[in-house]
Amino acid sequence: MAMDVLRPPAGFRIDHAVLSTYSLDLDVLLALPLAVLAHSDRGVDELMEEPLLLLEALREAGERVHVFVDESGIAIPHTNRALYSLLETSVHPVRSVNGGTFHPKVWVVRFVSDDAPPRFRVAIASRNLTFDRSWDVALVSENAADEQRPVEASADLARFLNTLPELTAQTLDVQRIDVVRALAEDVARTSFPAPQGFRGPIRFHGLGLEDGADTPWQLERKGNGLLAIAPFLSATTLDQLVRLSRPPRTLISRREALDALPPRHREAWDSILVLSESALDEPDDRQTERHSDLHAKLIALEHGHQVTWYVGSANLTHAAFTGRNVEVVAAITGPKGRPGSDKGSGIERFVESGFPRLCEAYRPGEPATEDPKIAAARERLDTARQRLVKGDLRVVCRPEGKAWTWMLEGSVALPEGVSVSAWPVSVNEDHARPLELPLAWPLPMSRLTAFVAFRVEADAAIDDVRMALKLPASGIPDSRVAQVLRTLIDSPQRFLQFLRALLGGLDSMPDWAMGNGGGSWQRHQSDGLDNAPLLEDLVRAASRDPQRLEPLQRLIEDLRATSEGPSIVPDDLYEMWRTIYAAVHHDLDQATPRDSAETTGTSNATT
C-alpha cells in the first residue's frame, strides 16, 4: 500500500506528503523514497546497492515527506546505518493531548504538475509504517481541490492536519509548519469521493484532537445489522455498539482479546470469529520476526436500505472512543443491496467476499492469568518507558581533535527493579551501555545522530522493552551530510555517477535505479572522466533549473576541501564546474526577478 499511495499519477510529481503512524520502522522510511521512485518492491538491503541514488532521494524527501509518529513508537533498527541520520528531518515525534497514544494512520499527499491543478490523495488505514505482515485495511481516495468553498465532510481531516504541529514533542521549524498548514487548507477545500458503489464524499472523524475530550464518540445513527472488527476490545465500547444496533451482530477479533472479556459482554453477538491458524501461518521462515495477525479496524452498520462503513485506526477500546488516544476514522455510505444480489455494499457482500473464510468460530478459552510478580514487572517496565519518553534527555556532540564525542545527557528517574541500556542507533547494540548519565561514545562525524536506542529490562522472566527516541540534539555540524557522502563517494567514477543522477533530479532517477538506458547521464563507468556528457548535463541543468546547481556547489567545495578531494573531483572537472557555476551565478545576480522568471521560462520552452 505504501508504495502505491505515494506513487504520483501520470504527469505529476510529489510536492509534499504528511504521514502519521503509531509505530515506525526506520528501514521502511529509508526504503520508501527509492522504492517509490524506482517503482520497486525490493527490500532495503537490495535498495542499498544503489546508495548514491538512495542518498539523494533521502535528502530531497527530507524536505517533502513529513512523518508524525508517537514519541515512543520508533523501533530500534536491526542494522546500524549512517544513512539513518538523514531521516531526522522527516521524523517528528508527537504525543496525545489527553495522555493516551498518538494512533492515527493517515497519509495525505499533494501532487503537482506543470500542466494541471494540484491533486490530493488521502489514505486512512489501520496499518503502521512497519514491516508487519498483519491483516490490515485501507481506504484511499484522490481528487483536486474545490477552490470555491470548504467541504464539510473534509473538515475533520483538515483539523487533524492543523493540529499536528501543536502535538510535536519538539518544536517544528516555521517552514514545516507552513507546509502542513497549507496542506490542511487545501484539504479543507477538497471533496474525496467514496469508492464505487458508495454515495457522496468520504466523511472524516478526528478523535482526541482537543484537550480534555472525554465524551464517547458516537456513530452517526442506529442500525439493524452490525459488523465490528478490531484486534483490541473493551467491554464498555462493545456495549455501546450493541445499544446502537439490532441483530444480527458479528464480531471479529483476536482470541486473547475475546478471552479477556467477561462472558456477558459476548452474549449479545450472534457470531464471533477469530482468524484461523492457516491465516496466521508464516509462509517464509525469514519473516518470523514480523507479526502476522489481525490488525484491521472497521465497523459496518446497516440502517434501512443503507450501510455505513467506518475505517481507520480506532480499536474498539475505551481509550480510542473517548478521545484519550488521537485517532482518525473515515466513513462511507452506500446501498446495502438485496439478499442474494451481487450488488450493494452491505455486510452480506463482505461475508461473501472471502475474508470470513479465513476465520473460524471463536471458542471461549480460559482468561489468561498472570503471575502477580510478572504483572508487577510489566508495570515497572511500562513506567520506565513512560519516564524515558517524558524525561529530560538530550544528545550533545562535541569535536575532539579529528574525531567527535557523542554524548547522552540529562536526567530521568527510573523505578526500582529495572535496568536500562542505551546506545546511538548508528552503532551496533554491542556498544550499549548502562544508563548512567552522562554517557559518551567516540564516533566519526558520519555516525552522529539524534536517534537513541533504549533497552529496558526487569528483574523477572518477561520480555524487555525496546524502543528508539528522537531526542533534542545540539552540536551536530551541518557538514554531517557531506561526511556521509564521503563514505559513499570514494572515487571519480562514483562521484560522476552521483553527480549525473543528482542533475537529473528525482524525476529522472528511476531509470538509473532500474538499470535502464536513456539520457546522457546514464553512462557506464568505462566512460571514465569524459567531460562532454557531463558538460551537456550541467548546461541543461543550468538552463532549466539553475537553483539545482546550489547543492552541487556545496558538495563539490566540501569534497575538494578534504585531503582526498582532488582525487575524487579532478582539477579539469573542477575548473569546468567553476566556469559554469560562475556564469550562472553572475546571470542570476544581474537579472531582475521578472527577467529571471522570463529567462527560465524561455529555456524550459526551448530546451
Side-chain angles (χ1 to χ4, degrees), residues 126-137:
S126 64
R127 186 169 188 81
N128 290 301
L129 269 171
T130 69
F131 286 116
D132 285 354
R133 300 179 58 254
S134 300
W135 293 93
D136 278 286
V137 63

Side-chain angles (χ1 to χ4, degrees), residues 150-429:
V151 177
E152 183 180 355
S154 299
D156 258 21
L157 180 60
R159 185 164 68 97
F160 167 73
L161 292 172
N162 265 320
T163 304
L164 285 176
E166 301 170 9
L167 301 179
T168 54
Q170 300 162 29
T171 304
L172 285 184
D173 61 73
V174 174
Q175 181 180 2
R176 283 177 173 77
I177 292 176
D178 290 344
V179 165
V180 175
R181 292 198 164 148
L183 188 59
E185 183 178 344
D186 288 331
V187 163
R189 296 181 292 104
T190 304
S191 176
F192 292 96
Q196 185 176 4
F198 292 87
R199 298 169 180 167
I202 299 173
R203 303 182 306 283
F204 299 94
H205 301 274
L207 314 181
L209 300 180
E210 298 173 354
D211 189 6
D214 57 4
T215 302
W217 175 58
Q218 297 283 349
L219 303 188
E220 296 163 291
R221 52 179 60 85
K222 293 185 178 182
N224 53 5
L226 175 67
L227 168 69
I229 302 178
F232 302 106
L233 313 170
S234 69
T236 55
T237 301
L238 290 181
D239 289 348
Q240 176 187 335
L241 293 177
V242 167
R243 288 193 296 270
L244 286 172
S245 64
R246 292 188 295 272
R249 305 185 186 99
T250 299
L251 176 63
I252 304 178
S253 187
R254 295 182 181 180
R255 191 179 307 276
E256 57 270 23
L258 293 164
D259 286 342
L261 287 173
R264 66 183 180 87
H265 294 285
R266 301 192 297 255
E267 293 172 356
W269 297 86
D270 302 276
S271 176
I272 302 180
L273 305 174
V274 295
L275 284 179
S276 64
E277 291 299 321
S278 62
L280 298 176
D281 284 345
E282 293 283 356
D284 188 342
D285 291 340
R286 295 173 298 177
Q287 312 290 344
T288 53
E289 293 185 0
R290 300 177 185 176
H291 298 294
S292 176
D293 208 335
L294 178 71
H295 197 250
K297 294 103 175 167
L298 63 84
I299 299 170
L301 184 66
E302 295 182 344
H303 42 92
H305 297 294
Q306 305 293 309
V307 60
T308 298
W309 290 82
Y310 299 88
V311 178
S313 61
N315 284 293
L316 304 179
T317 62
H318 183 77
F321 270 61
T322 59
R324 179 174 172 81
N325 293 351
V326 177
E327 313 275 5
V328 175
V329 177
I332 51 177
T333 298
K336 71 177 184 180
R338 296 180 179 180
S341 171
D342 60 353
K343 297 181 179 180
S345 307
I347 295 173
E348 182 179 311
R349 289 292 311 281
F350 174 80
V351 171
E352 295 172 351
S353 69
F355 179 77
R357 299 173 191 171
L358 300 172
C359 301
E360 60 187 32
Y362 164 71
R363 293 177 176 81
E366 292 294 327
T369 58
E370 192 170 46
D371 185 301
K373 292 183 178 179
I374 297 295
R378 193 180 305 281
E379 185 175 348
R380 291 196 299 273
L381 285 176
D382 187 60
T383 299
R385 179 189 63 82
Q386 293 182 39
R387 291 184 181 180
L388 285 168
V389 169
K390 308 295 184 184
D392 177 28
L393 296 174
R394 58 191 176 275
V395 170
V396 177
C397 299
R398 297 189 180 96
E400 300 287 346
K402 294 184 179 181
W404 285 78
T405 297
W406 183 99
M407 299 187 68
L408 180 61
E409 297 183 350
S411 61
V412 58
L414 297 172
E416 294 184 359
V418 300
S419 60
V420 180
S421 302
W423 66 99
V425 300
S426 55
V427 303
N428 289 327
E429 189 172 346

Side-chain angles (χ1 to χ4, degrees), residues 495-496 499-500 503 520-521 523 529-540 552 573 576-577 580:
F495 172 73
L496 288 179
L499 191 60
R500 285 166 179 156
L503 286 169
S520 62
W521 51 270
R523 305 285 179 180
L529 299 180
D530 179 8
N531 288 341
L534 181 59
L535 178 60
E536 178 185 339
D537 294 334
L538 288 171
V539 171
R540 182 182 297 110
L552 300 185
L573 175 60
M576 179 181 67
W577 163 258
I580 293 176

